[in-house]
Amino acid sequence: MHQITIFRALGPALLCGLGLLGLGAAPVACSAGGQPGTSPGGEGGAGSGGAGASGGAGGAAGAPVASSSSTGGGGMGGGGGEGGMGAGGGATGTAKKILTVFGGGSVVIANQVDPVTGTSISTPWQDQTEDAIGLAADDSGTGVCLLRSKTTGELRYAFYGSDAWTPGASGTPTALEPGLTSTSGLSVAADGAAAHGAFRGKDGKYYYARVQNKIWSSKQEAITAGGQQSSGPNPPAVAAIGTTPVIAFVGADGIFYDQSRSGGAWSPATAHPFAGKAASVTPAIAALDAGPELVAVFVEGGANGLYWLARKGGTWTAPTPITGAASTESPSLAPLPGGGAILAYRGTDQRLYTARLGTGDAPAWTAPLAGAGGASPFLSGPPAVAKGAIGAEAELLYVDNLSSVYSSRLVNGAWIAPKFAGSASGRVAITTVP
């Protein structure tokens, strides 16, 4: 009671800046720039995309402003923005909402953002998580979040629909099954009508969950083919092609595998060997709008380079390095509207990097771009990307080394200046809702 009273006394502007929105009985809405007037001066303008045009000039030092919609108080002007990603701007998304979820220390923060107005509503849950969070939305506008509770290891879920989360503010996500736990986080992907989850059980083996119309038809289905249950040192990633879920994982043998489910049965895992060994971290996989059906990225276990492969007509290419890309952690991958993909990762220097996969049947990657929208932050963990909502090609979310969460959007081939989105102590997740 005393905590809620103090937060209310602080006012919504400060709550927005702290990422503690809606800690009262109901969610709290923030304006597009809902930060206190003591924030730094403006970021430099983003480049205009295409062949990497020069960024705009740094922002002037702002004057202190009391309004909660201010974009910052006094301070040094921002640096010039970086150029575009080299591939030029592409089609933009049509999704009407952006959803984000991240562990905010003593609570989990679920946000919904209107991409047109920039307004957001935050829904804090009484739970904690530091692991990978599964988040996706189907074509009906139903979102699902799967997370692993820090205190018990139990798998829990929440639904989004009709512009609201269930549970609401101060609620606790529902147990997927009482006592069902995992060793680490989860991955979720959605098709037109359902969402598919994959996780690693306490026994080190892989399991599958499926939900449609907010009804779970599978919660702990063993991912098994020919009497052999798939397993690995880290959780699998999942994507969906039509109604077919496909998982990607690295086995204990250091080989990258994919495996799909059709007609209620799992196919045998397919190995994709290359000259080296894959690192034992969760890879990334995404279903694309055009060109290859699937693209996957994993970490090589020697020099930590990022390798990629694509599936077209059911046939995979051989794993190939992404020139200049290296990481020791799980990358994030998302489709771009109309084809191609966006990749984000924390580099071996702990900074943020992104790269873009072009369109067509034989696409190529742009050179990795350091930072986003004039900022080149050190990250505390892996970033997350999603297909763009209205007005953007892609959405980006990351946590810097000061535990501050920022979002950015890929517009006309360049990332716009990041916006403060809250505070987090764990992983972040982002998706868009039709």
Side-chain angles (χ1 to χ4, degrees):
M1 178 66 70
H2 296 298
Q3 185 183 49
I4 298 299
T5 301
I6 293 171
F7 286 156
R8 284 174 176 163
L10 290 175
L14 185 54
L15 295 182
C16 291
L18 292 173
L20 297 173
L21 317 176
L23 283 174
V28 173
C30 290
S31 60
Q35 303 173 27
T38 57
S39 59
E43 295 280 359
S48 59
S54 298
V65 181
S67 170
S68 65
S69 63
S70 120
T71 56
M76 298 298 293
E82 78 276 0
M85 298 190 71
T92 59
T94 59
K96 298 178 179 64
K97 285 288 171 63
I98 303 167
L99 302 182
T100 65
V101 178
F102 48 85
S106 61
V107 294
V108 174
I109 305 294
N111 288 318
Q112 53 174 306
V113 181
D114 186 316
V116 176
T117 65
T119 56
S120 65
I121 298 176
S122 183
T123 303
W125 296 325
Q126 297 304 310
D127 211 334
Q128 296 172 283
T129 187
E130 294 181 348
D131 297 299
I133 299 167
L135 181 65
D138 63 28
D139 289 350
S140 72
T142 299
V144 60
C145 173
L146 273 172
L147 57 83
R148 177 182 182 266
S149 178
K150 177 183 176 181
T151 54
T152 65
E154 187 174 62
L155 303 184
R156 297 176 179 174
Y157 69 89
F159 289 131
Y160 175 85
S162 301
D163 295 329
W165 281 100
T166 303
S170 300
T172 299
T174 305
L176 184 60
E177 193 169 276
L180 176 58
T181 61
S182 72
T183 60
S184 46
L186 304 94
S187 177
V188 175
D191 59 35
H196 311 270
F199 61 95
R200 182 177 184 264
K202 291 191 299 181
D203 57 3
K205 297 179 179 179
Y206 294 156
Y207 295 89
Y208 166 75
R210 182 181 186 276
V211 61
Q212 184 171 359
N213 298 324
K214 299 183 180 181
I215 299 173
W216 295 95
S217 57
S218 300
K219 295 182 178 180
Q220 193 182 7
E221 176 184 305
I223 299 179
T224 301
Q228 180 74 30
Q229 186 169 356
S230 295
S231 64
N234 277 282
V238 65
I241 304 176
T243 60
T244 300
V246 181
I247 65 167
F249 63 95
V250 174
D253 55 5
I255 295 177
F256 173 85
Y257 292 87
D258 84 284
Q259 191 169 7
S260 60
R261 181 182 188 269
S262 181
W266 288 92
S267 65
T270 301
H272 301 276
F274 67 113
K277 294 290 186 181
S280 58
V281 298
T282 300
I285 186 169
L288 304 191
D289 284 4
E293 299 121 31
L294 290 167
V295 169
V297 175
F298 65 89
V299 180
E300 185 265 334
N304 300 317
L306 293 184
Y307 277 63
W308 77 289
L309 60 165
R311 197 186 89 176
K312 176 69 174 177
T315 301
W316 285 92
T317 59
T320 304
I322 300 174
T323 303
S327 180
T328 60
E329 299 176 319
S330 300
S332 180
L333 190 62
L336 292 172
I342 191 74
L343 169 70
Y345 60 94
R346 182 165 78 152
T348 53
D349 60 358
Q350 314 308 309
R351 290 189 181 275
L352 169 68
Y353 290 87
T354 59
R356 179 178 187 146
L357 181 68
T359 58
D361 291 338
W365 289 95
T366 61
L369 177 70
S376 185
F378 289 100
L379 303 187
S380 65
V385 285
K387 188 176 183 178
I390 293 173
E393 300 167 73
E395 312 292 343
L396 170 69
L397 192 70
Y398 64 85
V399 187
D400 69 13
N401 60 338
L402 299 178
S403 299
S404 295
V405 182
Y406 288 90
S407 65
S408 182
R409 313 189 74 200
L410 187 65
V411 179
N412 293 326
W415 295 106
I416 65 173
K419 293 184 178 181
F420 181 76
S423 299
S425 60
R427 298 284 293 272
V428 296
I430 187 169
T431 194
T432 52
V433 183

